[in-house]
Amino acid sequence: MIADNLHTVEQEIQESCALVSRNPEDVTLVAVTKSVDSSAAEELVRLGVTNLAENRVDKLLEKKENLSQYSDISWHLIGNLQRRKVKSIINHVDYFHALDSLRLAQEIQKRAAHKINCFIEVNISGEESKHGISPEELLSFVYELEDLTNVHIVGLMTMAPFDADDETIRSIFASLKKLQEKICSLKLNYAPCTELSMGMSQDFPLAIIEGATYIRVGTALFKKG
Ligand SMILES: *Cc1c(COP(=O)(O)O)cnc(C)c1O
């Protein structure tokens, strides 16, 4: 089941890349395992998936412990992170996808033992319910991170609304890419900002067309039947 799902997702990645002449190797599949147990996650790892994501601190630590024999897994924390939990998790992740405030960045700076790869979460759609920095505030936010030597900005992340049509979703992803290119062009050594974390089970083909380099896929890998 999982093997079939993975095959389907990989095929869709290939097809989406082909549409816009992108190299599939430039798209990293991050498997979101929040809805499944460690054994299902392990099945994916055995099939060759090396990037796993959780949105909760305790679950990430638990799975990392259970899969500790697989030393080549990169661990992604994709959910909103409370400041009081930074200390327990930040040195256990390879990528954090939801940096959304200066106070959180300052806490990461304080607790990190080394540079942490972070994506700034941007709220492009402007939905009240969503976390993230607004596009208007993004640039000044990036400049505020300059002295936080452990906060390394690898890219930007966003989530599209669940109920939007394809055109709206594409324009949200395209806007994120524009912002990413703008920050990248500043050539800040603490914020190379070359990456785009966007696209989930519903919309990853559109995200790839618009330039995603990390897609975060859960349901499509673990659905039954
Ligand atoms: C759950 C989650 C995903 C994966 O969603 P699916 O629809 O199951 O693919 C991606 N990103 C974030 C931030 C999530 O919380």
Side-chain angles (χ1 to χ4, degrees):
M1 192 75 74
I2 290 179
D4 291 342
N5 290 344
L6 177 61
H7 184 71
T8 304
V9 167
E10 283 176 338
Q11 234 164 8
E12 288 188 77
I13 293 172
Q14 301 256 354
E15 286 166 14
S16 304
C17 284
L19 285 174
V20 287
S21 304
R22 293 189 60 196
N23 184 347
E25 286 179 17
D26 296 337
V27 179
T28 299
L29 171 62
V30 179
V32 180
T33 56
K34 67 188 180 194
S35 64
V36 298
D37 61 14
S38 294
S39 64
E42 180 170 8
E43 200 177 329
L44 266 188
V45 172
R46 286 175 172 272
L47 291 164
V49 173
T50 54
N51 288 270
L52 298 187
E54 287 285 327
N55 65 342
R56 288 188 43 187
V57 166
D58 49 346
K59 297 283 185 204
L60 190 149
L61 291 173
E62 183 189 308
K63 286 218 177 57
K64 192 173 182 182
E65 173 77 31
N66 289 339
L67 300 178
S68 59
Q69 74 267 36
Y70 301 100
S71 57
D72 60 344
I73 301 176
S74 290
W75 291 94
H76 299 250
L77 183 65
I78 55 176
N80 165 251
L81 175 61
Q82 292 169 292
R83 275 181 300 138
R84 65 183 169 84
K85 293 194 175 165
V86 168
K87 187 181 175 188
S88 65
I89 190 72
I90 205 66
N91 292 305
H92 297 280
V93 304
D94 298 290
Y95 293 89
F96 173 50
H97 289 244
L99 182 63
D100 64 356
S101 78
L102 183 59
R103 292 175 78 197
L104 180 58
Q106 286 165 336
E107 184 65 14
I108 292 171
Q109 172 65 22
K110 186 167 153 192
R111 304 297 184 183
H114 52 82
K115 279 190 205 309
I116 307 296
N117 293 318
C118 297
F119 289 85
I120 298 173
E121 182 168 358
V122 186
N123 184 356
I124 303 271
S125 62
E127 288 174 283
E128 293 253 347
S129 60
K130 285 213 170 14
H131 292 279
I133 305 282
S134 74
E136 296 74 29
E137 290 166 334
L138 181 63
L139 217 50
S140 60
F141 178 66
V142 169
Y143 284 123
E144 285 175 328
L145 302 174
E146 180 170 9
D147 296 330
L148 306 182
T149 50
N150 287 333
V151 177
H152 193 64
I153 304 301
V154 295
L156 303 182
M157 177 274 214
T158 201
M159 289 171 74
F162 283 107
D163 50 2
D165 54 55
D166 284 8
E167 203 180 326
T168 306
I169 292 173
R170 278 186 68 159
S171 79
I172 288 169
F173 291 154
S175 300
L176 193 73
K177 184 170 171 70
K178 279 219 178 70
L179 293 168
Q180 173 258 318
E181 287 174 332
K182 184 166 183 182
I183 296 168
C184 183
S185 73
L186 301 174
K187 307 239 179 286
L188 305 169
N189 54 17
Y190 65 93
C193 202
T194 50
E195 310 301 325
L196 281 168
S197 169
M198 57 190 197
M200 308 178 17
S201 294
Q202 297 267 8
D203 52 22
F204 74 83
L206 299 177
I208 290 171
I209 289 170
E210 297 299 340
T213 59
Y214 288 79
I215 57 172
R216 311 176 310 271
V217 179
T219 316
L221 293 170
F222 298 111
K223 68 183 177 198
K224 302 201 163 54

